[in-house]
Amino acid sequence: MNRFAPAVSRGISRVTESALGPYQSAMIRIGFSATWLLFLLREYPHRQELYGPESPWSWDLAQQSVSGNGAFSALLWSDGQGWFEAVYALAVLSSALLLVGWRTRTTSVLFMIGVLSLQNRSVFMGDGGDNVIHLMAIYLVFTRCGQVWSLDARQARRARETRAPGQPPALDRVGIALWGVMCLALAAASLTGRLSTGWLVIFWGLLAVQALWWVVGSRARTAEPRILLDVVANLVHNAALVVVMAEACLIYATAGWYKIQGSRWQDGTAVYYPLNLDYFSPWPALSHLMASHGTMVMLVTYGTVIVQVAFPFTLFNRRVKNVLLAAMMTEHAVIAVVLGLPFFSLAMIAADAVFLPTSFLRRLGGWAARGRAALVPGHRPGLPGPRQPEPRSGERNEHTHVGFTA
């Protein structure tokens, strides 16, 4: 009992004093925003047929679908061409801003609105990766995904370096203006009856928590209220990160166990059939070459099932987990090239990134910095300075990503 109590105390301190997995949450942010942005840009010439007025899934059918399941889609507020273009542009812009980590508290909400608006408008447009993006766009709202590799993190670091000890942080006028605009837009949607009761509670709740965070951060005379809010934000972030991990494990476990029940997966020939479908053969010669080797087809078929079923059980063994993680990411990269499903593969790789080791992600960031130095003339990656002590919870900069209002 004496040994158990300190362990529990350390665990509670760990999940309340910091937002865990800063590099993993940044990878999720970058991976899913980049995947959605690339998809929107590639399909820009076909946007009318996918989500616009010319879609086979008509506006009336979309209205009936949403009214039945209570889903959110701003595209169903109007069937005008101008409104569609505005929502599509918002989806593109929010994806790009979230990718670089600018005002992540605001842009993650806008990113979620863009994803839900387009995908719920035409529910049959997608290849499976859209479902993953749909879920992760919601989870990102509750994570502090701008702690590293973001413009927010760089701005917060510069603010700490230039601010005198004891000086309060500067007023974030841009952030206040952005949330003010969102408040006006939400008020207009509420007054015109565009939102259901559930979504009204969600969006007004996000704005209320953001307002509370700003009031406490700028008006509180002591650090205790800020520390309390920071603890709550850390708890929400850590819980959301656990949900992301559980979601990824559920996807693989479900896929693996369903495959086991299929006769083609049992006899080792399942991979052969998609390789011979014209729809999934962007490189016919490569597909036929792989399909012509029976041993390779059998190994890939059985290997896929084994990896997917076994992965959730390997999370507590770091070495085995890393091996299977590399195998799954490689498999998705092969699917992207051979079967012509790049966005599905990118979405799954982004979900897998939550399990990557922090040491590897830090090295990856160093490689990216050196690559940028080589490509950008005159740019030199800064040498790391002396390690600074971590600020207390109540003294963190206001640009740090807040769990509830991400």
Side-chain angles (χ1 to χ4, degrees), residues 94-225:
S94 62
S95 301
L97 294 178
L98 186 62
L99 175 63
V100 298
W102 186 81
R103 308 285 172 176
T104 47
R105 280 179 285 179
T106 304
T107 52
S108 61
V109 175
L110 296 176
F111 177 75
M112 179 188 71
I113 291 174
V115 170
L116 297 183
S117 295
L118 293 176
Q119 292 189 355
N120 289 334
R121 164 63 179 85
S122 299
V123 293
F124 295 111
M125 300 297 178
D127 54 13
D130 57 315
N131 294 326
V132 181
I133 296 175
H134 191 110
L135 293 171
M136 296 301 175
I138 298 174
Y139 301 152
L140 273 173
V141 173
F142 300 96
T143 62
R144 309 181 82 166
C145 56
Q147 298 178 95
V148 297
W149 298 343
S150 67
L151 295 180
D152 284 354
R154 185 175 68 175
Q155 185 177 358
R157 183 175 62 253
R158 289 179 176 177
R160 287 195 301 268
E161 293 172 351
T162 57
R163 191 169 65 238
Q167 180 183 0
L171 184 64
D172 183 15
R173 293 184 174 85
V174 176
I176 295 173
L178 286 173
W179 283 95
V181 171
M182 293 179 66
C183 185
L184 292 175
L186 182 56
S190 303
L191 293 174
T192 55
R194 304 291 185 182
L195 292 172
S196 64
T197 303
W199 287 105
L200 278 173
V201 173
I202 292 172
F203 286 126
W204 280 115
L206 291 173
L207 283 172
V209 174
Q210 174 62 25
L212 176 63
W213 182 275
W214 179 81
V215 170
V216 170
S218 59
R219 304 294 182 182
R221 297 182 179 180
T222 61
E224 283 77 9

Side-chain angles (χ1 to χ4, degrees), residues 386-401:
R387 184 178 180 87
Q388 299 294 331
E390 289 292 332
R392 290 182 299 174
S393 298
E395 299 177 352
R396 291 178 183 171
N397 189 272
E398 71 276 9
H399 297 297
T400 303
H401 201 75

Side-chain angles (χ1 to χ4, degrees), residues 245-246 249 310-318 320-321 355:
M245 295 178 180
C249 290
F311 179 73
F313 300 100
T314 65
L315 295 183
F316 298 101
N317 189 310
R318 182 176 302 178
V320 178
K321 182 263 294 182
F355 299 105

Side-chain angles (χ1 to χ4, degrees), residues 21 32 50 66 107 135 156 183 186 250 261 283 367 376 396 399:
F32 283 104
L50 288 175
V66 168
T107 52
L135 293 171
C183 185
L186 182 56
L250 184 62
Q261 302 175 45
W283 313 98
W367 297 336
V376 180
R396 291 178 183 171
H399 297 297

